[in-house]
Amino acid sequence: MVETVKLLHQSDYPQEAITLLPKVAAHITGMFFQLHQCHDGSQTFVYVSSGCRELCEIEPEVFQADFSIIHKLILPQDLESFIESTAVAMATLKPWNWEGRIVTPSGQLKWVQGSSQVQPSTNGTILWEGLLIDITDKKQAETKLQATEARYQALLAAIPDLMFRISRDGNYLEMKRDSSNCPLLHAEILGKNLHDILPSDVATVGQKAIARTLSSGTWQTWEYQMLTPLGMRDYQARLVANGKDEVLAIVRDITEYKYAAAQLQLSAQRDRLLTETLARIRSSLNLDEILQVTVTEVRQFLRVDRVFIGLNDAHGGAKTVAESVNPKYPSILGWSEHEKNYYSEIKSLFATNRVRVVEDTAKIAVSPKLKSHYQKTQTKASLAVPIILEDELLGALIANQCSSIRHWQSMEIDLLQQLSEQLAIAIQQSLIYQKLATLNSNLERQVAERTGQLQQKMQELEELHRVKDVVLHTVAHDLRTSVMGNLMVFKHLINSRELRATNNSDPVMVPVSYSILERMLQGNERQLGMIDLLLEIHSSQQQGVALEREPVKFNTLIGDILTELQPLFSQNQATITNLITTDLPTVMVDAARLQRVMTNLFDYSLQHNPPGLNFTLKAKMTGGVIRIQIQDNGTALSKLECDRLFDLYVRDPQGPGSTSHGLKMYLCRQIIQAHGGEIGVNRSQQQGISFWFTLPLMSEQA
């Protein structure tokens, strides 16, 4: 465009083309100008395009009238560079380029970029032909980009991890180095391959991780170890695709993390070992087992070659009572004078120290006998703690490293010290147990004597029980005989009186009234019934309930029983609704015994309620049994009464007929249980009670 402006202002250029310049400039962003600079240094705008209005908010005529207006627009901080750049261009006649800020009349701050060709004319003046454009947006974008770049650089600088750009072939292209965790310089890495820097196996794994990252487009992690001037270090590399054929590797030193995790795991294992040892001591009295399991687990935990426990003996010496040892190294369970001397010296050392830590047996001053012991047992490092109970040295718990010297960690020392305390408890527990065993032996002898005496007493009690049963049976039998005799007399007297009255004979003189005789008769009948119940219950307890089972259709059996009980219902004005269906199967039962059960259940409700009671009889099959239910609408029972109704216990003597009914209920349970069923009673929320009992089906009885 500058060249176009130059052509338009040449003297031989067609005049009609010059008139096109404003039209062309109006469609171009920026301010075009043509400037003449005279010999005296004065400057005049020959031409200024209309773009100056948008750029500078000034009309072209103003610029043409006063060149200095451009100096007033330029920000003072940038004016010096403007003047200097124009002076250099005039002196060298090289193209002029400048960037700076202007402030428009409305107060807008803008960045502008100026460029111009500088050429001498034929009359000796200098012609400037150029363009000023608004680059504010560009500058703002550059500023933001620079700020963002600065933030990124600060962020990268704050990240302690190493960063590498690595090609698909494993070549290092670029790196961000942190001298604190990278032992190599840029020159030692850039341009090299993974196989040049890392161990062969590590480099092979890394090459595969790079391939997976580029093929999958997802993060890949890769952990490895490497020997550095700081020792063996653990690293984790995280790879992410950084283009088609390269990855960005972020490498972090995780040595401390791995160490902390390992320490945490060891701490958990130590706590588990202590907990299990304590539980073992509490649950076992076998000292040998406790000691052996302890040395085995401690050796496994510490990963040492030998762990053993030495205890003092009764003769003032010591002996190894438990040991776990790597088969590659000698065992010290076999005693010799040498080991006795070793323990003697260990005792003297523990007199002043609660722990003995030896990391290298070759670098400590020891007695010849202790040195000989180390050589014989191939011990290169040792850790020993005393087993002390109430300030008395009982022995020692000792760990030996035979394969190499060893730095014993504080956690390992603490473990042995805590275990030695638990072992002291176990030893004390064993001593107490030995004393108790002695006492127990004497006690067993005394118990044997007492047992003989108790057996004699039990034989005497059994004899008394036998006598009691005989007496109960005899008394009941005799009482029954007596009562039956009374009943016969009473019945004869009543019959004689009725007979004479019928034959108009002289009445028999009876010293008591007829009603009294009836009450006496009823009372004796109740007594006879109770005696029969007592005898039957006694027989069932001694010999069980004898049943005469036979197969019967269940609904037929129930119908026969209800027919037999009809007089009882009529006498008490009771009604019964029989809801038992005809499709129930055959059962194997003692029909007479079952009728007695149902009679007792109906009779209980009738005797404890006024006349007019309503019964409902139901039955259903469930779980291999038939469940029968007798529901009435009478008086409800309490929960305690329901729970105890079928038990044999002493009842309230003031309850009329309560003992007799209690015996009947107890006998009902004996009969149902003899059939293989169950019986019970439930209380209703509104009124009445519900008796129930079960009978097994024939298939269940087979």
Side-chain angles (χ1 to χ4, degrees):
M1 185 64 193
V2 173
E3 292 297 326
T4 302
V5 173
K6 180 178 178 180
L7 289 173
L8 289 173
H9 284 273
Q10 288 182 357
S11 58
D12 59 348
Y13 202 80
Q15 187 63 35
E16 62 273 13
I18 296 177
T19 59
L20 294 175
L21 179 61
K23 296 180 180 180
V24 174
H27 294 283
I28 304 299
T29 301
M31 169 184 161
F32 295 100
F33 66 88
Q34 190 176 49
L35 176 69
H36 281 170
Q37 186 166 351
C38 300
H39 296 287
D40 60 0
S42 61
Q43 296 172 324
T44 304
F45 280 109
V46 178
Y47 172 78
V48 177
S49 71
S50 61
C52 66
R53 296 190 185 98
E54 182 179 354
L55 179 66
C56 302
E57 300 178 1
I58 295 177
E59 294 295 327
E61 294 80 6
V62 176
F63 278 108
Q64 290 176 321
D66 183 8
F67 172 80
S68 65
I69 194 69
I70 192 68
H71 287 188
K72 296 176 182 178
L73 290 173
I74 297 174
L75 200 68
Q77 295 90 319
D78 297 339
L79 183 58
E80 182 178 353
S81 66
F82 175 81
I83 296 173
E84 182 179 349
S85 65
T86 57
V88 171
M90 283 185 60
T92 62
L93 297 181
K94 291 182 178 181
W96 172 72
N97 291 287
W98 173 80
E99 289 184 0
R101 291 163 290 179
I102 66 171
V103 180
T104 67
S106 67
Q108 291 189 57
L109 178 67
K110 294 183 178 181
W111 276 92
V112 296
Q113 182 184 63
S115 60
S116 176
Q117 295 290 332
V118 182
Q119 294 181 353
S121 62
T122 55
N123 59 5
T125 62
I126 297 176
L127 178 64
W128 295 67
E129 295 175 328
L131 173 67
L132 289 175
I133 61 174
D134 187 344
I135 61 170
T136 303
D137 292 342
K138 173 187 173 183
K139 280 294 185 178
Q140 289 176 347
E142 288 179 353
T143 301
K144 291 181 179 179
L145 182 61
Q146 291 172 356
T148 301
E149 181 69 18
R151 286 196 297 271
Y152 286 156
Q153 291 298 329
L155 181 61
L156 288 174
I159 297 175
D161 302 332
L162 292 168
M163 295 185 185
F164 301 95
R165 284 176 51 229
I166 306 175
S167 71
R168 179 185 293 272
D169 297 331
N171 295 321
Y172 289 97
L173 305 176
E174 186 180 353
M175 71 173 288
K176 169 188 170 290
R177 177 180 179 273
D178 184 342
S179 60
S180 65
N181 60 14
C182 181
L184 301 177
L185 301 176
H186 285 76
E188 297 174 304
I189 294 180
L190 295 183
K192 302 284 183 68
N193 191 274
L194 292 176
H195 289 275
D196 300 327
I197 304 298
L198 303 175
S200 178
D201 57 336
V202 174
T204 300
V205 175
Q207 190 72 63
K208 293 179 179 178
I210 292 173
R212 286 197 304 272
T213 302
L214 292 174
S215 62
S216 66
T218 59
W219 284 95
Q220 299 290 328
T221 57
W222 158 42
E223 291 188 6
Y224 59 92
Q225 281 189 327
M226 185 174 176
L227 184 61
T228 72
L230 301 176
M232 186 64 70
R233 307 294 291 180
D234 290 279
Y235 294 96
Q236 181 190 68
R238 193 169 189 184
L239 307 180
V240 62
N242 189 37
K244 180 180 178 181
D245 291 314
E246 68 176 54
V247 298
L248 177 65
I250 303 172
V251 180
R252 173 169 296 181
D253 187 335
I254 59 172
T255 306
E256 302 302 327
Y257 166 77
K258 296 276 281 190
Y259 175 78
Q263 290 297 103
L264 183 62
Q265 183 178 9
L266 283 175
S267 178
Q269 292 176 355
R270 179 199 62 183
D271 294 343
R272 176 195 60 78
L273 181 56
L274 289 172
T275 301
E276 291 179 355
T277 302
L278 181 58
R280 193 180 303 116
I281 291 172
R282 290 178 175 175
S283 62
S284 175
L285 294 174
N286 189 333
L287 181 61
D288 293 339
E289 178 185 352
I290 292 172
L291 299 181
Q292 186 57 50
V293 173
T294 299
V295 296
T296 301
E297 294 191 354
V298 170
R299 188 169 82 87
Q300 181 180 1
F301 174 79
L302 297 181
R303 296 182 180 178
V304 294
D305 299 316
R306 182 190 298 113
V307 175
F308 63 98
I309 296 173
L311 296 180
N312 298 336
D313 59 23
H315 306 291
K319 63 179 179 179
T320 301
V321 295
E323 179 192 42
S324 176
V325 62
N326 188 322
K328 294 169 54 178
Y329 302 103
S331 170
I332 60 173
L333 273 177
W335 270 103
S336 69
E337 186 64 26
H338 179 78
E339 278 76 23
K340 292 183 180 179
N341 293 335
Y342 166 70
Y343 274 120
S344 176
E345 184 162 339
I346 290 295
K347 288 180 183 179
S348 63
L349 292 173
F350 283 146
T352 55
N353 299 284
R354 290 300 184 183
V355 61
R356 177 170 172 79
V357 181
V358 179
E359 297 185 346
D360 187 351
T361 57
K363 294 183 178 180
I364 61 171
V366 294
S367 66
K369 57 185 177 182
L370 190 53
K371 184 176 182 180
S372 174
H373 171 82
Y374 286 149
Q375 292 174 346
K376 181 178 180 180
T377 59
Q378 302 180 28
T379 301
K380 295 182 179 179
S382 180
L383 174 61
V385 295
I387 301 174
I388 298 175
L389 180 62
E390 297 177 354
D391 296 328
E392 179 184 355
L393 180 64
L394 302 179
L397 172 60
I398 302 171
N400 292 159
Q401 188 72 24
C402 301
S403 57
S404 63
I405 63 174
R406 176 163 180 160
H407 170 68
W408 300 101
Q409 300 181 27
S410 58
M411 181 184 297
E412 297 170 337
I413 298 172
D414 178 67
L415 171 66
L416 259 64
Q417 288 180 317
Q418 292 195 55
L419 282 175
S420 70
E421 295 175 1
Q422 301 302 325
L423 292 175
I425 295 173
I427 294 171
Q428 183 185 44
Q429 184 173 279
S430 176
L431 294 174
I432 293 174
Y433 176 69
Q434 291 176 4
K435 293 180 180 178
L436 289 175
T438 302
L439 294 174
N440 186 57
S441 178
N442 295 332
L443 183 60
E444 286 179 351
R445 178 178 53 80
Q446 297 176 8
V447 168
E449 295 176 356
R450 296 291 187 271
T451 302
Q453 297 173 0
L454 288 174
Q455 289 176 344
Q456 182 178 354
K457 294 295 183 182
M458 289 177 64
Q459 291 176 356
E460 295 175 358
L461 286 174
E462 288 178 358
E463 181 65 18
L464 289 175
H465 280 297
R466 189 185 66 79
V467 172
K468 181 263 298 180
D469 292 340
V470 172
V471 170
L472 175 61
H473 181 74
T474 303
V475 169
H477 182 271
D478 291 347
L479 182 58
R480 185 175 185 276
T481 302
S482 175
V483 170
M484 288 182 64
N486 290 337
L487 289 173
M488 291 176 63
V489 172
F490 291 144
K491 288 180 180 180
H492 176 71
L493 289 175
I494 291 175
N495 291 336
S496 298
R497 183 177 184 277
E498 291 176 350
L499 179 60
R500 289 181 180 274
T502 303
N503 297 330
N504 295 320
S505 303
D506 294 333
V508 178
M509 301 301 295
V510 180
V512 292
S513 67
Y514 180 78
S515 61
I516 292 177
L517 289 175
E518 280 190 327
R519 286 197 297 272
M520 291 178 66
L521 178 62
Q522 293 172 358
N524 278 274
E525 287 178 341
R526 283 196 300 271
Q527 290 179 9
L528 180 60
M530 187 174 296
I531 291 171
D532 287 338
L533 282 172
L534 285 171
L535 290 173
E536 187 172 0
I537 289 172
H538 176 72
S539 175
S540 68
Q541 289 178 332
Q542 296 295 319
Q543 305 172 9
V545 178
L547 299 179
E548 295 182 3
R549 300 175 188 252
E550 57 181 354
V552 293
K553 188 72 174 175
F554 184 75
N555 65 303
T556 303
L557 172 64
I558 295 300
D560 294 342
I561 293 175
L562 293 180
T563 301
E564 292 291 331
L565 293 177
Q566 194 58 46
L568 180 63
F569 295 146
S570 299
Q571 180 182 351
N572 290 274
Q573 302 175 18
T575 61
I576 181 166
T577 302
N578 183 6
L579 301 180
I580 294 178
T581 60
T582 61
D583 59 349
L584 292 176
T586 301
V587 291
M588 183 71 74
V589 297
D590 185 328
R593 294 279 192 176
L594 188 59
Q595 178 176 340
R596 187 170 182 186
V597 169
M598 296 189 68
T599 301
N600 289 342
L601 297 180
F602 281 118
D603 185 59
Y604 181 89
S605 295
L606 293 172
Q607 293 300 321
H608 289 80
N609 290 284
L613 201 63
N614 296 324
F615 292 98
T616 301
L617 184 60
K618 302 177 182 179
K620 65 178 180 179
M621 288 192 300
T622 175
V625 300
I626 295 180
R627 181 183 174 93
I628 301 92
Q629 179 179 323
I630 303 174
Q631 174 76 46
D632 67 43
N633 64 340
T635 304
L637 296 178
S638 67
K639 185 178 184 305
L640 177 61
E641 289 174 321
C642 289
D643 293 341
R644 300 179 60 183
L645 186 60
F646 294 95
D647 293 337
L648 186 61
Y649 68 98
V650 178
R651 287 170 164 78
D652 182 6
Q654 301 301 322
S658 60
T659 300
S660 175
H661 284 105
L663 294 175
K664 291 178 180 179
M665 293 297 103
Y666 177 76
L667 190 59
C668 286
R669 185 174 71 177
Q670 297 295 94
I671 294 172
I672 294 299
Q673 288 180 347
H675 279 85
E678 297 179 350
I679 191 170
V681 61
N682 298 324
R683 58 194 299 251
S684 174
Q685 295 295 335
Q686 286 79 24
Q687 62 179 356
I689 58 175
S690 177
F691 287 111
W692 62 268
F693 62 89
T694 62
L695 294 172
L697 302 177
M698 286 186 63
S699 59
E700 298 295 327
Q701 293 177 331

